[in-house]
Amino acid sequence: MGWVVPLLLFVLVGVYGEPQVPCVFIFSDSLSENGNNNNLPTLAKFNYKPYGIDFINGPTGRPTNSRNAVDILTQLLGFENFIPPFANTSGSDILKGVNYASAAAGIRPESGSNYVLREFGLRECLLVGLGLIGCTPHAKSTNGLNVSSPSCVEDVNAAVSMFNDKLKSLADQLNQRFSADSKYIFINSTEGARDLASGFAVPYDPCCLIQNNGLCVPDQMPCQNRSEYLFWDGFHTTDVVNKIIATATYNVLLSSMFNA
Ligand SMILES: *[C@@H]1O[C@H](CO)[C@@H](O)[C@H](O)[C@H]1NC(C)=O
Ligand SMILES: *[C@@H]1O[C@H](CO)[C@@H](O)[C@H](O)[C@H]1NC(C)=O
Ligand SMILES: *[C@@H]1O[C@H](CO)[C@@H](O)[C@H](O)[C@H]1NC(C)=O
Ligand SMILES: *[C@@H]1O[C@H](CO)[C@@H](O)[C@H](O)[C@H]1NC(C)=O
């Protein structure tokens, strides 16, 4: 189903300042979802408990226990508030950016954002590749593998790898074509992903009780010690893992900006 496909890309524009970039535009799938689907006719919603159990105001539509990686990345960049979901953006909100991420659904960038992108000049564009989808609890359980074991659905990971190779060559091509005014940075999300498991007491099982579709069963108590789990539900990672991902991404972005 559509929401299996994680973060595709997000866009950072602008020059240095406070925050370190003036605005962030996010184009992605469920990994960066922060509420766009709440009022859409789709099953890919995360606005019910136990999602958001560690978030200030409870479930918001983020597919994790607290923040997603883009939330943490924008905090690291110095933004006071999270980038609002497209569904909730109006007026001058757009000046700091918009989150178009939508699990499974078809939100498209509006002409408004194209205008802003041109006005400020696109500077840095992160193309974040797919992660190891074949290692998610949902992929494992639907393919008859033992969810608690380190085994993964390797043909799914082979497809991920093909996709990422193409995304990387797209980034290379874009860099050649637009070298004067923008930089495209490919981020390899599969790099080191398997090693991450060794840092977690529970590296394979999800923290919440999952339904057949991989999402949390509504209103069930999740695991208590959430920082010891890598997976939150059948697809998505916990806040602690999102922090690791965001920090790595931030470091790549910083080194790119300072080598401009
Ligand atoms: C959207 O705005 C409404 C009204 O301010 C608020 O209650 C809701 O939580 C917001 N949704 C998201 C996903 O931020
Ligand atoms: C699944 O894997 C875990 C961890 O390797 C193991 O302890 C457990 O016995 C396995 N379960 C089955 C049904 O094979
Ligand atoms: C991403 O990293 C993995 C693991 O190191 C590597 O096998 C793969 O070739 C890399 N993909 C790209 C597109 O660089
Ligand atoms: C998490 O908490 C449970 C219940 O307190 C405990 O049994 C378990 O050992 C803790 N650690 C892990 C990794 O599950």
Side-chain angles (χ1 to χ4, degrees), residues 14-253:
V15 290
Y16 311 133
E18 190 65 60
Q20 287 161 309
V21 296
C23 46
V24 177
F25 289 83
I26 299 148
F27 301 93
S28 171
D29 205 317
S30 70
L31 277 201
S32 310
E33 163 77 70
N34 67 347
N36 279 316
N37 279 13
N38 292 355
N39 298 312
L40 293 180
T42 169
L43 290 174
K45 297 183 194 211
F46 316 98
N47 57 343
Y48 62 86
K49 286 178 186 162
Y51 287 103
I53 188 169
D54 300 316
F55 199 81
I56 325 116
N57 298 313
T60 54
R62 290 167 169 80
T64 180
N65 57 312
S66 184
R67 302 162 298 172
N68 61 41
V70 166
D71 291 327
I72 302 170
L73 178 63
T74 55
Q75 287 180 323
L76 292 170
L77 285 167
F79 287 84
E80 237 173 84
N81 300 312
F82 296 128
I83 303 300
F86 168 72
N88 253 27
T89 317
S90 63
S92 63
D93 290 353
I94 195 178
L95 293 176
K96 294 217 162 142
V98 180
N99 186 343
Y100 293 101
S102 168
I107 291 182
R108 286 171 209 287
E110 297 291 277
S111 52
S113 90
N114 285 329
Y115 170 75
V116 175
L117 295 178
R118 289 213 185 95
E119 188 73 357
F120 285 106
L122 176 69
R123 292 286 191 284
E124 304 276 342
C125 177
L126 296 181
L127 298 166
V128 181
L130 298 178
L132 294 173
I133 298 171
C135 299
T136 58
H138 182 72
K140 286 157 75 169
S141 70
T142 53
N143 285 275
L145 297 182
N146 180 348
V147 170
S148 312
S149 79
S151 54
C152 297
V153 188
E154 294 304 342
D155 56 347
V156 171
N157 288 342
V160 162
S161 174
M162 278 167 57
F163 179 91
N164 286 343
D165 287 348
K166 294 202 165 140
L167 188 63
K168 178 159 194 311
S169 49
L170 175 68
D172 293 342
Q173 285 168 29
L174 290 169
N175 277 326
Q176 285 181 351
R177 218 158 107 197
F178 303 108
S179 58
D181 39 42
S182 48
K183 208 187 246 182
Y184 293 82
I185 308 157
F186 168 76
I187 300 214
N188 188 348
S189 311
T190 69
E191 207 163 11
R194 286 183 206 255
D195 303 338
L196 214 51
S198 64
F200 289 86
V202 189
Y204 309 118
D205 286 295
C207 171
C208 76
L209 189 65
I210 57 173
Q211 320 175 65
N212 286 339
N213 65 8
L215 306 191
C216 299
V217 178
D219 298 319
Q220 293 294 308
M221 202 58 190
C223 69
Q224 290 295 314
N225 32 21
R226 293 183 274 281
S227 62
E228 297 186 47
Y229 283 69
L230 200 155
F231 284 101
W232 163 252
D233 66 8
F235 306 106
H236 306 101
T237 46
T238 50
D239 183 275
V240 275
V241 177
N242 295 343
K243 190 173 173 192
I244 295 170
I245 295 167
T247 306
T249 306
Y250 177 69
N251 289 335
V252 171
L253 180 63

